[in-house]
Amino acid sequence: MGKLFFFVLIIVIVCAILFFPIYIETNAHYDMNRRKFTLGIYLYKILRIFGGYLATYNGGLAFHVSEKKAIIIPYTQVNKERKRFSIFRAFRLKSLYLTVETGAEYLVTMATMQKILETYFTLKSGHSCLYQGVLWLNNGDILRISLQFTAYFNLFIILRFAYKVLKEKIKRSCRKKMKNSTT
């Protein structure tokens, strides 16, 4: 009885670790006139994981994570940095709230973009993702976009994604070796 209970307990704990959802909330804000993009990433809406603002400089981007610390990314490295974040494809979107404050100059473009997003989320996710978009018309040349979304993942989803990536890398390596051996 003791060994069976211990075995069942281990299986329950492993399943809980693999399938327990981890929620990440992201708040982002873009202001065209101030040329700044702010970002905050939180775990379960409580614990701040990452945050700061992105500004441009001559030759690249500077992500300010504190008053005295900034991460400098030259424009030549932007494409390389984009590839590092492919793991985010394993996340599942739970909710998306988009608020756009714009002047008349960008009104048609932003309204079209919001309708495209609404149609996409309605067709793609059905009822699994909550999407809400708000468009505010203001006087003047202004464009402010605020975005809040919540995504979730679990260890099983991450391990499955890592398995797919590893399998693709092994296939590419084998194809490359086969190609080199035949030539």
Side-chain angles (χ1 to χ4, degrees):
M1 178 69 182
K3 289 182 181 181
L4 180 64
F5 176 74
F6 186 68
F7 181 71
V8 170
L9 183 66
I10 288 176
I11 289 175
V12 168
I13 289 172
V14 167
C15 287
I17 290 172
L18 280 176
F19 298 107
F20 186 75
I22 300 168
Y23 288 97
I24 302 273
E25 181 178 292
T26 301
N27 299 316
H29 180 74
Y30 172 71
D31 190 348
M32 182 189 68
N33 293 340
R34 291 181 22 202
R35 293 178 33 193
K36 284 192 180 172
F37 175 76
T38 60
L39 178 71
I41 301 174
Y42 299 90
L43 185 66
Y44 294 109
K45 296 184 181 182
I46 299 170
L47 183 64
R48 181 178 168 212
I49 298 172
F50 190 71
Y53 70 92
L54 185 71
T56 59
Y57 73 96
N58 290 339
L61 303 170
F63 194 78
H64 300 267
V65 291
S66 70
E67 288 186 25
K68 295 184 179 188
K69 184 177 179 186
I71 300 169
I72 306 294
I73 304 170
Y75 288 132
T76 57
Q77 282 187 333
V78 170
N79 196 28
K80 292 177 189 174
E81 294 296 322
R82 180 183 59 86
K83 292 177 183 175
R84 286 181 51 197
F85 295 103
S86 66
I87 188 89
F88 291 121
R89 289 184 284 169
F91 289 24
R92 304 291 184 250
L93 194 61
K94 183 178 181 223
S95 65
L96 176 71
Y97 300 101
L98 180 66
T99 303
V100 178
E101 183 179 355
T102 183
E105 185 175 341
Y106 304 107
L107 179 63
V108 174
T109 307
M110 291 296 115
T112 305
M113 290 298 291
Q114 284 218 340
K115 285 301 172 187
I116 289 171
L117 278 173
E118 185 177 338
T119 304
Y120 173 76
F121 282 110
T122 302
L123 295 175
K124 178 82 173 166
S125 61
H127 298 289
S128 65
C129 174
L130 173 67
Y131 171 76
Q132 182 178 2
V134 178
L135 182 63
W136 293 344
L137 180 60
N138 237 337
N139 192 13
D141 184 25
I142 180 174
L143 178 62
R144 294 184 189 127
I145 301 171
S146 296
L147 174 74
Q148 176 191 10
F149 68 89
T150 304
Y152 70 93
F153 66 97
N154 57 31
L155 193 56
F156 178 74
I157 293 172
I158 298 297
L159 289 174
R160 189 177 67 188
F161 180 76
Y163 171 73
K164 287 179 183 178
V165 169
L166 186 62
K167 187 171 84 171
E168 285 299 317
K169 285 187 179 187
I170 290 172
K171 280 183 182 179
R172 275 192 228 132
S173 176
C174 289
R175 285 183 199 141
K176 189 175 180 180
K177 286 182 181 179
M178 292 292 286
K179 185 178 179 181
N180 287 342
S181 67
T182 58
T183 57

